[in-house]
Amino acid sequence: MLPLLLAVMALMLGTGPSSAAGTDWWTPTARPTPDSRINVTGEPFKGTNSQGEVQGFVDAHNHLFSNEAFGGRLICGKVFSTSGIADALKDCPEHYPDGTFAVFDYITHGGDGKHDPVGYPTFKDWPAYDSMTHQANYYAWIERAWRGGQRVLVNDLVTNGVICSVYFFKDRSCDEMTSIRLQAKLTYQLQDFIDAQYGGTGKGWFRIVTDSAQAREVIKAGKLAVVLGVETSEPFGCKQILDIAQCSKADIDKGLDELYDLGVRSMFLCHKFDNALCGVRFDEHGLGTAINVGQFLSTGTFWQTEKCTTAMHDNPIGGATATNATEELPEGTELPTYASDAQCNKRGLTALGDYAVRGMMKRKMMLEIDHMGVKAAGQAMDIFESESYPGVLSSHSWMDLNWTERVYGLGGFIAQYMHSSEEFVAEAARTDALRTKYNKGYGYGTDYNGIGDHPAPRGTDTGTTVTYPFTSVDGGSVIDRQTTGSRTWDINTDGAAHVGLVPDWIQDIRRVGGADAVGDLFRGAESYLDTWGASETHKAGVNLAKGVSATASSSESNPFTSYQPGRAVDGDPGSRWASDWSDDQWLQLDLGSTNLVKRVTLDWEKAFGRSYRIELSTDGTTWQTAWSTTVGDGGLDTAQFAGVPARYVRVHGLDRGTDWGYSLHEVGVFSS
């Protein structure tokens, strides 16, 4: 019966049986005809290494279905079609006959936007490394990336309501959550589409996973683990208008629950526009100007900057110049100017953003900090550090590199944007010592269909030319030039035109940087799953300080409220201890018995300590300094140190950060 069933399925799909049907598990028994070639031979690697670790590359940031975003006509072509490749890989209607109305092409790329709109079978002008508006994620090209060694793919569901609203061509609503739901649905349909080629449910290589254990089993079986993420500007309707939030805590809970039920396990809380949750990391130059205008049109506010208080900074916007986008501003509205010495977004993590971060942590989800301004990202990591929560991701080089050790220290994962091989190798080298220190693998974020350029051709006379065919990094497959229709791509002359050329790009990295340059990449799957798994198993520590006896050097006198020391350990974030307005003040806690103390969290009021110590004692008389700082900046601080037995914990303020005293909403003491 099975051969008959497969034959019937093949007829229904318009396909014929593969010549290798029934012999190679990685070869479909019913691939659509015609279709793209894969041009990879050899069995995909399975199992684990000698240490029991999974292996393989991680694309930590891709947008498979953004052709359904932005109103549905910005990215042309589909990831798959039940009507076949000719239907999937065709241009948008308005691009015919010569690309004259490919408006977004010439807005983002310059020139007149003209191009040959014909996709399959000739592909004269697209996909291309510098085309931002044509499908680069056709499913068979993803298959080639998998065959070349990739084992994790993060599909970020993406859209932007403002881009949708101002773009000339659209065929659906601009509501962001409607688009996110559709893209999730199509990801599951793609899984079904591929399963059908392999004989039924669960048999294909494209496997959507919702926990790290499931992902490990998929990778051990030699298949591709697909994780759903979200990257959108106003999630859950959480936009701000004139700095007034348009969502509530109930909206956030409802939205997070819905996304979790869809299978989403990682997300950005802000992207491009400041919203009701957090401030963004700016875009630069003319694109930054256009996005700033878009923010104003959506929210009524432009970006606001301030001087940075640390070495970290957002992308500079002081040199932003007027573009055609400024013509969209209401009459009499001018683009602000920005001081060159004020390059940090004034908006950080809002109270609702704090609630959303904690909501993600409660649901064991991972937070993407790329696109967060450094102020917001720092505050989000403050929260994670206070709870020892590892689930932080930087997936495509939008994080200030100075955060690298902090992310790794938490247990997080970092991937670099798909830069040219030379740039990728150079940036990887800058953080190589930290990956060695924290035993971390590395990833890449291709950001295909994400409105960004990709590695350009390097030519054939560079001395490090990729020669075809070549052997995969694992050594088990042979990879030749990739052909779809009548077009054959070569990484040397075509650049990274589509996702199927990822194996070729990795070979280019190997040629430029040597075998060591791809070693950390091949450990990426294990490292990504380590972060995810640690997030899933995280348990909130027991606060040893809650409700304990507290004393202080002084307490500010107020006839209307109490600022006594016990207010810092009463579990109420709205109350606080406050000292007199002078230095050398302390707050002392008696835990009641000796405990191993490893972590102390301090939730400062506006009156914070710039220089202070965490002191520990077993008898309340002899003290040792466990941790200290001279650069405290207020907010939520976490002091972590090797475990010390102590019954008494003292926060000893030496230098105030303001003219007021020292004031703490809550102090937490933890053994983990």
Side-chain angles (χ1 to χ4, degrees):
M1 289 296 293
L2 182 58
L4 177 60
L5 178 61
L6 292 176
V8 171
M9 183 182 296
L11 289 172
M12 291 175 65
L13 290 172
T15 64
S18 164
S19 59
T23 58
D24 299 332
W25 65 267
W26 59 93
T27 303
T29 56
R31 182 183 294 281
T33 302
D35 202 1
S36 173
R37 296 178 62 187
I38 307 303
N39 302 103
V40 179
T41 58
E43 180 177 1
F45 59 88
K46 293 181 177 181
T48 60
N49 64 14
S50 58
Q51 289 77 46
E53 299 171 331
V54 297
Q55 301 175 92
F57 306 120
V58 176
D59 183 350
H61 193 105
N62 199 338
H63 302 292
L64 268 59
F65 289 98
S66 63
N67 57 291
E68 303 292 349
F70 316 113
R73 298 276 277 276
L74 194 66
I75 308 294
C76 306
K78 303 175 184 177
V79 178
F80 75 105
S81 171
T82 55
S83 298
I85 189 172
D87 180 63
L89 296 180
K90 63 182 180 183
D91 217 336
C92 292
E94 56 274 9
H95 287 203
Y96 290 88
D98 61 0
T100 297
F101 291 104
V103 180
F104 201 74
D105 262 17
Y106 59 77
I107 289 175
T108 57
H109 189 242
D112 57 12
K114 291 187 176 182
H115 62 275
D116 181 351
V118 176
Y120 182 84
T122 56
F123 300 107
K124 180 176 183 293
D125 287 336
W126 69 269
Y129 75 94
D130 56 353
S131 172
M132 300 185 186
T133 61
H134 293 97
Q135 182 60 248
N137 277 320
Y138 184 60
Y139 90 94
W141 299 337
I142 300 170
E143 182 178 351
R144 178 179 160 91
W146 159 63
R147 292 285 301 277
Q150 185 171 301
R151 291 297 179 267
V152 176
L153 169 63
V154 180
N155 177 27
D156 281 319
L157 317 175
V158 65
T159 192
N160 182 291
V162 173
I163 292 177
C164 173
S165 66
V166 300
Y167 191 55
F168 301 97
F169 307 104
K170 62 181 72 72
D171 55 22
R172 79 276 307 270
S173 155
C174 292
D175 179 72
E176 292 190 357
M177 291 305 293
T178 298
S179 180
I180 295 302
R181 294 181 191 105
L182 175 60
Q183 292 175 54
K185 179 181 178 180
L186 286 168
T187 309
Y188 285 96
Q189 289 181 357
L190 173 58
Q191 179 175 255
D192 293 341
F193 176 78
I194 295 172
D195 278 353
Q197 298 178 22
Y198 287 80
T201 302
K203 295 186 177 182
W205 52 268
F206 185 96
R207 312 303 326 148
I208 300 170
V209 295
T210 55
D211 62 60
S212 62
Q214 186 182 16
R216 287 186 182 279
E217 292 307 310
V218 165
I219 296 170
K220 287 178 184 177
K223 300 183 180 184
L224 179 68
V226 180
V227 185
L228 296 185
V230 166
E231 181 185 40
T232 195
S233 295
E234 294 161 348
F236 330 128
C238 280
K239 69 187 298 178
Q240 54 92 8
I241 298 178
L242 298 176
D243 290 321
I244 298 174
Q246 304 299 299
C247 68
S248 65
K249 290 181 178 179
D251 294 323
I252 292 169
D253 282 329
K254 180 180 178 182
L256 286 174
D257 285 343
E258 179 184 7
L259 290 180
Y260 193 89
D261 289 344
L262 288 173
V264 172
R265 295 297 180 265
S266 66
M267 71 176 295
F268 296 76
L269 289 181
C270 51
H271 176 241
K272 300 303 182 183
F273 298 160
D274 291 348
N275 60 26
L277 305 175
C278 49
V280 294
R281 187 166 165 84
F282 311 128
D283 281 83
E284 299 181 68
H285 312 306
L287 179 59
T289 300
I291 292 173
N292 202 4
V293 169
Q295 167 163 309
F296 180 84
L297 295 175
S298 178
T299 69
T301 62
F302 290 108
W303 290 328
Q304 297 182 50
T305 65
E306 62 184 9
K307 290 185 178 180
C308 303
T309 59
T310 67
M312 277 66 75
H313 60 82
D314 294 321
N315 292 321
I317 58 173
T321 55
T323 67
N324 291 339
T326 58
E327 298 173 4
E328 301 291 332
L329 291 172
E331 186 175 353
T333 303
E334 295 185 359
L335 191 73
T337 57
Y338 296 96
S340 59
D341 64 345
Q343 295 297 338
C344 279
N345 193 333
K346 182 180 283 188
R347 180 183 289 261
L349 194 69
T350 68
L352 285 174
D354 182 295
Y355 186 81
V357 169
R358 295 180 189 277
M360 291 181 66
M361 190 163 52
K362 178 181 177 182
R363 293 164 177 83
K364 312 299 187 184
M365 298 172 72
M366 294 177 286
L367 173 68
E368 293 265 14
I369 60 170
D370 284 6
H371 290 299
M372 273 185 167
V374 294
K375 185 175 183 179
Q379 291 168 324
M381 285 191 283
D382 284 345
I383 295 171
F384 279 6
E385 284 175 342
S386 73
E387 300 283 351
S388 292
Y389 187 75
V392 58
L393 304 172
S394 172
S395 60
H396 66 336
S397 297
W398 264 81
M399 175 192 76
D400 189 307
L401 277 183
N402 288 304
W403 288 129
T404 301
E405 183 157 21
R406 192 173 183 188
V407 171
Y408 284 154
L410 275 166
F413 181 79
I414 294 174
Q416 185 187 156
Y417 186 81
M418 191 184 186
H419 293 124
S420 69
S421 54
E422 296 96 331
E423 187 177 353
F424 193 94
V425 168
E427 183 172 317
R430 291 173 62 188
T431 55
D432 180 67
L434 288 174
R435 287 194 299 280
T436 299
K437 176 180 178 180
Y438 289 95
N439 192 29
K440 292 289 183 179
Y442 202 36
Y444 50 82
T446 62
D447 206 12
Y448 276 113
N449 292 358
I451 315 178
D453 283 349
H454 289 86
R458 293 203 304 118
T460 57
D461 57 354
T462 62
T464 55
T465 302
V466 172
T467 55
Y468 293 91
F470 59 87
T471 303
S472 60
V473 171
D474 64 280
S477 296
V478 176
I479 302 169
D480 209 339
R481 292 177 179 84
Q482 197 278 318
T483 297
T484 307
S486 58
R487 174 75 187 271
T488 298
W489 281 274
D490 184 316
I491 193 74
N492 302 294
T493 55
D494 297 309
H498 60 70
V499 74
L501 297 176
V502 164
D504 312 56
W505 170 73
I506 290 173
Q507 177 68 4
D508 195 15
I509 290 173
R510 185 160 56 166
R511 296 280 291 173
V512 170
D516 289 344
V518 296
D520 283 352
L521 287 175
F522 201 59
R523 295 180 57 240
E526 176 65 31
S527 194
Y528 179 89
L529 295 184
D530 280 347
T531 294
W532 190 4
S535 303
E536 292 170 322
T537 58
H538 173 265
K539 294 182 179 179
V542 176
N543 182 5
L544 303 174
K546 187 174 180 180
V548 303
S549 174
T551 55
S553 56
S554 66
S555 296
E556 181 182 339
S557 177
N558 187 297
F560 303 105
T561 189
S562 170
Y563 294 131
Q564 292 300 304
R567 292 300 183 108
V569 290
D570 61 3
D572 180 0
S575 66
R576 61 188 175 96
W577 163 71
S579 77
D580 287 346
W581 295 11
S582 60
D583 285 323
D584 199 15
Q585 303 285 342
W586 50 263
L587 173 72
Q588 181 174 313
L589 311 179
D590 180 356
L591 304 180
S593 61
T594 298
N595 293 266
L596 187 68
V597 176
K598 288 186 175 181
R599 177 166 50 100
V600 176
T601 62
L602 306 171
D603 186 5
W604 293 100
E605 197 254 350
K606 292 179 181 178
F608 66 94
R610 188 178 310 283
S611 175
Y612 63 93
R613 299 193 295 253
I614 304 297
E615 300 170 339
L616 303 177
S617 173
T618 56
D619 59 9
T621 301
T622 303
W623 296 89
Q624 64 172 302
T625 298
W627 186 91
S628 64
T629 184
T630 58
V631 292
D633 58 359
L636 182 59
D637 286 349
T638 298
Q640 294 185 346
F641 41 85
V644 177
R647 171 173 174 170
Y648 301 92
V649 178
R650 188 163 68 186
V651 182
H652 195 156
L654 304 174
D655 179 33
R656 291 166 292 152
T658 69
D659 290 334
W660 303 308
Y662 299 87
S663 186
L664 286 160
H665 284 294
E666 284 291 314
V667 177
V669 178
F670 302 89
S671 291
S672 60

